[in-house]
Amino acid sequence: MVGICSYGGYVPRYRLNRGLIYKAMGWINPANIANAKGEKAVANFDEDSITMAVAAGIDALTGVERSDVEGVYFASTTMPYKERLNAGIITAALGLDDHIRAADFSGGIKAGTTALLSAMEGVESKRTNDILVCSSDSRLGKPASPPELIFGDGAAALLVGSEDVIAQFKGAYSTTHDFVDHFRGEFTKFDRQWEDRWIRDLGFDQLVPEAVNGLLDKYQLKISDFAKVVYPCHYSAARRKLNKVLGISPEAEQGNLQTEMGETGTPHALVMLVSALEEAKPGEKILVVSFGSGCDALYFEVTENIKNLKERNGISGYLARKAELDNYTKYLVWRDILPGDTGLRGEEDLWTRWSALWRGRKMVLGLWGGKCKKCGTAQLPPQRICVNPDCGAVDEMEEYRFSDKIAHIASYTGDMLAASLNPPAVYGAVNFEGGGKYYFDFTDCDLESLATGMSVSMSFRRKYYDPKRDIVGYFWKAVPTEEVK
Amino acid sequence: MAEGIKDKVAIIGMGCTRFGERWESSAEDLMVEAFVECLEDAGIEKKEIQAAYLGSHFDEVNIGKAALPLSMTLKLPFIPVTRTENFCATATEAFRAACYSVAAGVYDIVLALGVEKLKDTGYGGLPAGAARGVSAMMVGANMTPPGMFAQLATAYGAKWDISMDKIKDAIAHVSAKSHANGALNPKAHLRKVISEEQIKAAPMIAYPLGLFDCCGVSDGAACAIISTPEIAESLKKNQDIVKVKALQISDSSGEEAMYSNWDGSHFVTTRKAATKAYEEAGIKNPREEVNMMEVHDCFSITEMVTMEDLHISPKGGSYDDIMDGFYDLDGQVPCQVDGGLKCYGHPIGASGLRMIYAMYEQILDRVPEERKVKNARVGLTHNLGGTPWMNVGAISIIGKD
């Protein structure tokens, strides 16, 4: 049996009330009031498609032996690198084996389901197994444009394999159309779209039924066979019409999370699928349809194994973990739409020495340290000579992953002198459960809420951006997870 | 068997510039200014100097690398000149090297000079840069010195269960005392008397440190000429001779940064260097036998915990001593008598020698009555270079017999 073995989600902590955007920009396009309901999930200043994909990947690997993973497929239209394998960065961050296949899927926002399909077919071929499909996007709409309000940031991840399958892959039907509802050229920052009425009437109204009916015909199914139908479409009127035309009952319609987080783009069909799986019961059939330069329709049947899945955050967990971003200009600065000045200190040259990164990649990207085979002391960064003064063994280290360990705050501060796009720069020392300590930036938190002893988990984030050479540097930060023990 | 440095060398001359935002002065100007004062004090001619050591830290914005800026600026005639650098202990390292070369009997008269020109960066605070090499920027946190040292406060509060309000009271007193001392010193960078209330109300730099918890970022130079006690006595007939009693440095081993046996609330290196320094100087009870100190008050909280690490205040008990005025100018062990890093200023590569200069002028009774330390015979200086978890702790003790 081939199918989904595990799922994970990620929604960034910050939510921007669309009313706030409309209040700032509605003067230029009053009709945008129609899109100004609810919240959009907004990546923190240190997040991007790669970091969100890693977060969703970590969620999906809950209870999974990481050495089992044989492939990483990353789908996004907002990849930080055009040349440098983005899925390779994700692979290293997840601490997966080097001897696996990783690939980037992009171009249209149905790339998420296409990556999933490719993984399914790869596992079906029996030439590979346990492929982690990660998808995320952080698309930008121009200030005052409908996309600015409609889009949200987020990620989903699905582990595709042949053992302990929770949702069996039963079939698929794909279409490809150069239907340009949205597009971005190579050097374009903002998403552009054609007229809404055309997107609704020719796009969703015709292309979604074409894929759905294609699949139903192919597998001799009725729409009523499906407990859940997942299809991203943020136009509420178009959704009502499609539900009616296709015969999707209100119970079977999977919510599109437009009010809670927004249209996330490439990952959105998968984000909705993860939401559906969070509620799914054995025996239920799920139909997933993506939309963007054509459609992929995928058909799953949930198995008994779903009951054994270990607890994880999922989309619902991350949706519940939220903080209001009560400042629209902060969002504009974080996305580099509004150039914010962090002072001359922030202009010091930060250029990446690739040969040094290559040597240090295990620590930088994967947060691997060492554990002394003689005395058992865990240490970060990895050392040649054991740091335990009573040991001092030379070259007796084994690799030890810190990224999945819980730590506790030993000291902290909020620094107004450090150049930061989210001042004060909050950081401090943490002691890992199981040994080892390190000084990390803290993120997704407020200085006022911190205390010594509080537990933190590790999160892969953007550490710096070198504007001169267009290089994003990544490292790990600490995210406070609970109150003082 | 090694015997240590005690009484093996003497300081025959010192010089120190006014510290501050010396927009008008280059590093070369500062070196000349300190050197002219020093040479006159020593009463020797330049050609009698047989070797020299130059301390400077931020070579990127300061004078660049190597010791040539010193030999070429002072026109030292083809003698050996070496540059030392060890974070904030840089000048102390130049002083130490000079002392050791005289004590070793290799030279009779040696110059140590520290200089730092910081105010050419265009922004406040210390220069951001690759202080730990090009790979360091890829890992770690986006830290600046105030935030590195501010964490002492949260860790110290957690260790001794002392409220942040109480810590703020103590460190406000620390800074107020240094401002009071600095106000009396014409060479100090910051010369305003500031009240504890003003200090506590200042804008936050790195929680819980406000503006007045941070030392001045200054330009300046300081220097000393070292010789043998015999030469000193021949040059300074019927005058007090200031001799070196102890020189100790302790460098972090990686334990504080990476091993879980350190809680972040104190300086391991300072404790170790202090113990060794007292032993070298023959000091049994530092609280009674040290008459005055210049400690590394880069931030007020650093001074607070250092008082314990120097074994003067009991562990966890510096609050009482600070609030009792034990370290005030009229207290039992006056500290930062010239204003300290806080107000005299902190040109990194010059600070260690500036501290020794402050002790030297007190021991030789060269300061006006209003800032004089009573019974100033033995003075201790302390540098802490680096971060609380990875640093160089340096201690010098000088005194007259």
Side-chain angles (χ1 to χ4, degrees), chain A residues 66-82:
Chain A
R66 295 196 192 188
S67 55
D68 290 346
V69 178
E70 294 181 15
V72 172
Y73 293 173
F74 175 47
S76 175
T77 66
T78 49
M79 297 196 192
Y81 286 95
K82 279 179 187 151

Side-chain angles (χ1 to χ4, degrees), chain B residues 5 7 10-11 31 56 169 193 287 308 315 370-371 376-377 395 398:
Chain B
I5 195 72
D7 294 334
I11 305 171
M31 286 191 270
S56 70
D169 286 343
V193 173
R287 195 176 168 94
E308 298 172 16
K315 305 290 177 279
E370 77 241 29
R371 60 185 181 95
R377 300 186 64 83
I395 289 172
I398 61 170

Side-chain angles (χ1 to χ4, degrees), chain A residues 294-426:
Chain A
C295 297
D296 289 322
L298 291 82
Y299 148 38
F300 296 96
E301 188 169 319
V302 179
T303 75
E304 287 290 331
N305 288 329
I306 200 155
K307 293 181 187 163
N308 307 329
L309 209 59
K310 284 216 165 68
E311 197 187 325
R312 65 210 51 223
N313 289 315
I315 293 295
S316 59
Y318 279 116
L319 274 176
R321 181 205 73 139
K322 67 172 185 175
E324 191 186 353
L325 180 61
D326 58 359
N327 185 336
Y328 172 61
T329 51
K330 209 167 182 175
Y331 162 77
L332 295 178
V333 170
W334 285 356
R335 296 288 88 83
D336 200 22
I337 296 168
L338 186 68
D341 184 23
T342 56
L344 289 176
R345 179 179 293 277
E347 291 179 19
E348 292 288 352
D349 200 12
L350 285 166
W351 86 285
T352 308
R353 323 282 166 149
W354 296 112
S355 47
L357 175 61
W358 173 247
R359 283 193 304 276
R361 65 194 183 280
K362 293 288 278 190
M363 156 94 178
V364 178
L365 298 178
L367 203 65
W368 291 91
K371 188 167 191 172
C372 181
K373 283 186 272 187
K374 291 271 184 220
C375 74
T377 300
Q379 40 211 286
L380 187 71
Q383 302 293 304
R384 294 279 302 274
I385 299 177
C386 178
V387 74
N388 175 359
D390 298 323
C391 177
V394 181
D395 289 337
E396 289 290 343
M397 295 292 164
E398 58 188 9
E399 287 183 336
Y400 181 79
R401 183 165 51 219
F402 280 94
S403 67
D404 57 352
K405 305 293 182 294
I406 295 295
H408 297 273
I409 298 175
S411 63
Y412 65 94
T413 186
D415 184 343
M416 290 302 294
L417 186 63
S420 168
L421 288 178
N422 196 19
V426 181

Side-chain angles (χ1 to χ4, degrees), chain A residues 228-295:
Chain A
K228 280 284 182 244
V229 181
V230 171
Y231 70 98
C233 169
H234 67 84
Y235 298 108
S236 44
R239 285 187 80 82
R240 282 195 297 275
K241 192 171 166 193
L242 273 171
N243 290 343
K244 198 172 166 191
V245 167
L246 289 170
I248 302 167
S249 70
E251 302 77 48
E253 184 200 357
Q254 180 64 37
N256 66 355
L257 301 171
Q258 185 56 29
T259 317
E260 293 86 352
M261 63 186 291
E263 161 68 57
T264 57
T266 311
H268 208 60
L270 307 184
V271 164
M272 290 170 65
L273 171 59
V274 169
S275 293
L277 289 170
E278 287 177 25
E279 304 287 327
K281 291 176 190 63
E284 288 181 351
K285 292 185 175 65
I286 298 176
L287 175 63
V288 182
V289 190
S290 60
F291 177 87
S293 305
C295 297

Side-chain angles (χ1 to χ4, degrees), chain A residues 8-13 15 55-56 58-59 155 278 312-323 444 457 459 461:
Chain A
Y10 184 73
V11 184
R13 174 174 177 255
R15 310 298 150 75
I58 289 171
D59 200 35
E278 287 177 25
R312 65 210 51 223
N313 289 315
I315 293 295
S316 59
Y318 279 116
L319 274 176
R321 181 205 73 139
K322 67 172 185 175
D444 284 359
S457 58
S459 182
R461 299 288 170 130

Side-chain angles (χ1 to χ4, degrees), chain A residues 44-48 51 54 58 321 334 363-367 380 402-407 409 419-422 424-428 430 432 438-445 455-465 473-481, chain B residues 137-143:
Chain A
N44 203 341
F45 78 100
D46 55 3
E47 292 183 299
D48 62 18
T51 68
V54 170
I58 289 171
R321 181 205 73 139
W334 285 356
M363 156 94 178
V364 178
L365 298 178
L367 203 65
L380 187 71
F402 280 94
S403 67
D404 57 352
K405 305 293 182 294
I406 295 295
I409 298 175
S420 168
L421 288 178
N422 196 19
V426 181
Y427 52 81
V430 306
F432 285 92
Y438 199 71
Y439 286 79
F440 286 102
D441 284 314
F442 294 173
T443 193
D444 284 359
C445 67
S455 68
V456 299
S457 58
M458 298 296 117
S459 182
F460 189 68
R461 299 288 170 130
R462 288 166 75 102
K463 174 160 169 58
Y464 60 88
Y465 179 66
Y474 296 93
F475 187 57
W476 292 80
K477 297 190 180 184
V479 176
T481 48
Chain B
M137 62 167 261
M138 298 189 295
V139 297
N142 180 18
M143 296 191 268

Side-chain angles (χ1 to χ4, degrees), chain B residues 44-203:
Chain B
I44 60 167
E45 286 183 63
K46 184 171 76 179
K47 66 183 181 199
E48 294 179 77
I49 297 170
Q50 296 161 333
Y53 292 91
L54 167 67
S56 70
H57 172 56
F58 281 104
D59 46 28
E60 306 88 343
V61 294
N62 190 10
I63 48 173
K65 298 187 194 303
L68 289 163
L70 182 68
S71 58
M72 294 183 62
T73 301
L74 301 186
K75 313 297 182 295
L76 298 174
F78 300 96
I79 61 169
V81 186
T82 302
R83 177 171 171 243
T84 66
E85 192 287 308
N86 214 358
F87 278 149
C88 296
T90 291
T92 299
E93 289 284 24
F95 180 75
R96 202 163 70 108
C99 289
Y100 286 172
S101 59
V102 170
V106 178
Y107 302 112
D108 287 326
I109 297 178
V110 178
L111 170 73
L113 185 146
V115 63
E116 200 78 35
K117 177 73 196 165
L118 289 177
K119 296 307 297 179
D120 281 333
T121 57
Y123 53 83
L126 292 178
R132 293 186 297 118
V134 294
S135 297
M137 62 167 261
M138 298 189 295
V139 297
N142 180 18
M143 296 191 268
T144 67
M148 294 170 184
F149 286 85
Q151 292 173 66
L152 287 165
T154 41
Y156 185 90
K159 161 113 176 168
W160 299 106
D161 196 22
I162 295 177
S163 72
M164 197 52 79
D165 284 345
K166 229 176 141 183
I167 292 174
K168 286 287 278 184
D169 286 343
I171 61 179
H173 187 88
V174 163
S175 293
K177 168 265 298 161
S178 296
H179 271 279
N181 295 351
L184 300 172
N185 194 332
K187 283 186 175 179
H189 179 175
L190 304 168
R191 302 202 55 210
K192 267 193 198 141
V193 173
I194 307 280
S195 73
E196 290 172 30
E197 290 65 39
Q198 284 173 296
I199 290 166
K200 284 191 269 189

Side-chain angles (χ1 to χ4, degrees), chain A residues 87-113:
Chain A
I89 299 171
I90 294 168
T91 300
L94 291 173
L96 305 178
D97 200 286
D98 291 340
H99 296 257
I100 66 171
R101 185 186 299 160
D104 291 339
F105 288 71
S106 191
I109 63 168
K110 82 173 176 76
T113 51

